[in-house]
Amino acid sequence: MGIQRPKGTQDLLPGTVEQWQYLEETIRSVCREFGYDEIRTPMFEATELFQRGVGQTTDIVQKEMYTFLDKGDRSMTLRPEMTASVCRAYVEDKLFGQPQPVKLYYMGPMFRYERPQSGRFRQFHQFGVEVLGAEQPLVDAEVISLVWNLFQRLGLSGLEVHVNSVGCPICRAKHREQLQEFLATRRNELCKDCQDRYERNPLRILDCKNPSCQTLTAGAPTTKDTLCEECSTHFERVLALLGVAGVAYRVNPRLVRGLDYYTKTAFEVMVEEIGAQSAICGGGRYDKLVEEIGGSPTPGIGFAMGIERVLTALQVQNKLPEEKPRLFAMLIALGEKAQNEGFALLSALRTQGISVSMDLQGRNLKAQLKAANRQGAHYALILGEEELEKNVILIRDLTLGEQSEIPLVDAVEEINKNYQRGV
Ligand code: ATP
Ligand code: MG
């Protein structure tokens, strides 16, 4: 076997790419309707950006980053996510000078050094949204309802939208204390990772996927018990607005984002049917993040959605468009002179936006007709020596088997008429 693609990466071939394009186009139109603009940032950034913007204590920074020294001995990292990059751009490109809030979306590859398995890749793709510069509950509700709207548009069902509030640094400190107190006597029974988390980041213990940790924390104090007045009012308003927008959500008091710069609203969307990696989207508010990476205090909220996992859900639920659009016509030119004429015709038709192909290898009529059928062409446009002599072209309807002969000079107009009429 020759050189293979790196572990945990994929080649997306024709046949599959059309599914990606369909999803990407649907995403773009929903974002347009919600008034979000696209942002594109570099595929790699200074490592420090992610250490600060994702957080030192996270799995991503501790274990999953593709970090390397460039030729100038600078530590660089292939982006594992894009929120930190968008916040950096907000500060560096002075987006705070524009009317606030700034509503952005992105799509693109992310890189994490993880153990590849179903639904988990080393290069995967995310669609995400970030709104910077507003803290009102309306923003939280808009962002969540954008996700909801997209999934409705895609026809996905069985989604679980979990929502919670993790509060502000003040109420979280109280929660942290209560949690540590609750877990103090059970500390040794926690998994190894959670024993580490006990001091560093006890909130994350609530999020542990290990069943025995889940049992141990079953009755643990949740964020709900410690929210301060302001955070609690904010949360109630977000929930009320989600109700207004028709989002079917569930409050999940165990849903946490463990870092100090995550504040208030946190949410996640799950689809059970796609297997163990059932989270297709995660997000929340991060009112302290822009400050963390060196900007002025700026509230922000966003989410990231795993494109591969959404595609799996669409596949499982049979919600992907049937097939790729068919070729409108196949031009069959026999002989060099016919190829010249045909090549010119092809170009004129393509200028009109009509999809046409021709045989590029000088094959015989039978082989070319076979190729036309294989590509699902509606028409074959046949140009042989005989037709050239008479200055005509044969138009054969490949579905009905009917054919007609038209003057070559009228070909573009006639074919265009058929095209406009639809097939
Ligand atoms: P998980 O718990 O599955 O590891 P996460 O908390 O690391 O997810 P986020 O960082 O919140 O995920 O990223 C948002 C979304 O990106 C996830 O909900 C998931 O759909 C997708 N995602 C994350 N990591 C991967 C990966 N390695 N391969 C494919 N999709 C991924
Ligand atoms: Mg992960």
Side-chain angles (χ1 to χ4, degrees):
M1 179 64 106
I3 299 171
Q4 291 175 292
R5 60 174 182 269
K7 229 170 128 177
T9 65
Q10 289 178 287
D11 294 317
L12 301 175
L13 304 179
T16 301
V17 166
E18 290 76 11
Q19 302 177 348
W20 283 66
Q21 289 171 340
Y22 160 72
L23 177 56
E24 287 161 2
E25 280 157 22
T26 311
I27 287 172
R28 284 185 198 287
S29 40
V30 171
C31 285
R32 210 170 310 123
E33 288 154 24
F34 274 75
Y36 286 66
D37 295 319
E38 185 176 358
I39 182 167
R40 302 187 187 193
T41 61
M43 222 76 89
F44 62 96
E45 300 264 7
T47 301
E48 193 192 350
L49 175 67
F50 302 117
Q51 287 170 337
R52 292 218 250 153
V54 179
Q56 286 286 6
T57 64
T58 57
D59 285 352
I60 294 181
V61 172
Q62 295 222 322
K63 312 189 268 215
E64 299 171 0
M65 293 211 297
Y66 273 95
T67 299
F68 59 95
L69 284 182
D70 73 4
K71 292 188 197 297
D73 268 344
R74 287 169 289 249
S75 179
M76 294 289 164
T77 295
L78 297 184
R79 63 182 188 200
E81 56 110 65
M82 242 180 88
T83 304
S85 305
V86 172
C87 291
R88 178 200 48 69
Y90 179 85
V91 177
E92 185 170 354
D93 303 316
K94 303 190 171 53
L95 300 184
F96 48 78
Q98 299 182 358
Q100 303 291 298
V102 178
K103 307 204 300 182
L104 301 167
Y105 81 93
Y106 60 80
M107 258 191 278
M110 309 295 155
F111 307 86
R112 296 185 196 177
Y113 197 85
E114 299 203 70
R115 192 170 66 77
Q117 51 191 293
S118 146
R120 205 173 277 295
F121 302 92
R122 290 186 173 171
Q123 174 175 331
F124 63 102
H125 299 75
Q126 284 184 339
F127 151 58
V129 148
E130 315 290 351
V131 182
L132 288 150
E135 59 190 351
Q136 286 75 5
L138 254 177
V139 186
D140 308 45
E142 177 174 280
V143 166
I144 298 172
S145 81
L146 188 153
V147 174
W148 180 253
N149 225 280
L150 173 65
F151 288 144
Q152 299 291 108
R153 186 80 53 95
L154 292 167
L156 285 178
S157 54
L159 301 168
E160 284 191 36
V161 182
H162 290 201
V163 192
N164 192 25
S165 174
V166 298
C168 60
I170 298 164
C171 29
R172 206 170 33 241
K174 223 187 306 164
H175 180 225
R176 185 191 161 102
E177 209 173 282
Q178 289 188 1
L179 199 59
Q180 279 178 329
E181 212 167 282
F182 177 86
L183 290 170
T185 53
R186 302 156 225 241
R187 195 171 164 180
N188 297 333
E189 296 162 63
L190 293 167
C191 74
K192 167 104 197 15
D193 281 345
C194 284
Q195 292 190 16
D196 288 345
R197 286 171 183 146
Y198 183 85
E199 287 298 341
R200 266 195 297 123
N201 192 355
L203 261 70
R204 278 270 290 143
I205 300 177
L206 292 177
D207 198 30
C208 183
K209 303 285 182 291
N210 193 318
S212 70
C213 294
Q214 290 187 351
T215 316
L216 282 170
T217 56
T222 62
T223 49
K224 206 165 122 219
D225 311 317
T226 46
L227 285 191
C228 67
E229 175 95 28
E230 191 210 318
C231 290
S232 162
T233 312
H234 190 278
F235 189 42
E236 289 307 319
R237 181 81 186 120
V238 172
L239 296 183
L241 288 164
L242 288 179
V244 171
V247 178
Y249 65 87
R250 207 173 91 195
V251 175
N252 175 359
R254 290 173 63 90
L255 178 63
V256 289
R257 312 222 113 202
L259 294 170
D260 286 349
Y261 23 87
Y262 291 117
T263 49
K264 296 180 177 154
T265 311
F267 67 98
E268 207 166 75
V269 183
M270 257 96 65
V271 187
E272 285 245 330
E273 289 163 288
I274 63 170
Q277 317 309 331
S278 63
I280 50 180
C281 173
R285 194 164 260 296
Y286 46 83
D287 290 348
K288 307 285 172 198
L289 178 55
V290 176
E291 239 172 306
E292 180 61 37
I293 61 160
S296 329
T298 309
I301 178 168
F303 66 78
M305 187 181 287
I307 296 280
E308 284 84 353
R309 292 188 195 172
V310 175
L311 282 167
T312 305
L314 288 167
Q315 264 148 17
V316 171
Q317 298 191 6
N318 227 338
K319 287 289 161 27
L320 283 165
E322 285 290 296
E323 49 188 282
K324 63 177 189 179
R326 290 165 62 179
L327 188 69
F328 186 72
M330 179 69 100
L331 184 107
I332 295 177
L334 303 162
E336 194 173 301
K337 259 168 86 187
Q339 274 183 344
N340 288 351
E341 252 340 296
F343 204 47
L345 176 61
L346 206 66
S347 162
L349 289 170
R350 287 170 172 167
T351 310
Q352 308 275 322
I354 302 172
S355 64
V356 274
S357 264
M358 79 185 276
D359 173 74
L360 303 172
Q361 293 164 296
R363 279 182 286 210
N364 65 26
L365 176 66
K366 199 169 150 217
Q368 293 199 40
L369 274 173
K370 210 166 133 192
N373 278 313
R374 205 175 37 234
Q375 293 203 36
H378 293 287
Y379 292 97
L381 313 172
I382 304 168
L383 202 54
E385 271 173 35
E386 207 178 301
E387 284 78 25
L388 266 191
E389 219 134 274
K390 294 199 285 179
N391 269 318
V392 295
I393 186 166
L394 283 182
I395 304 187
R396 184 183 297 179
D397 184 323
L398 290 173
T399 323
L400 303 174
E402 295 165 357
Q403 70 180 31
S404 56
E405 201 179 82
I406 54 164
L408 204 46
V409 285
D410 300 334
V412 175
E413 198 182 327
E414 276 301 312
I415 295 163
N416 200 4
K417 249 191 245 161
N418 278 1
Y419 179 71
Q420 298 300 341
R421 236 185 285 131
V423 276

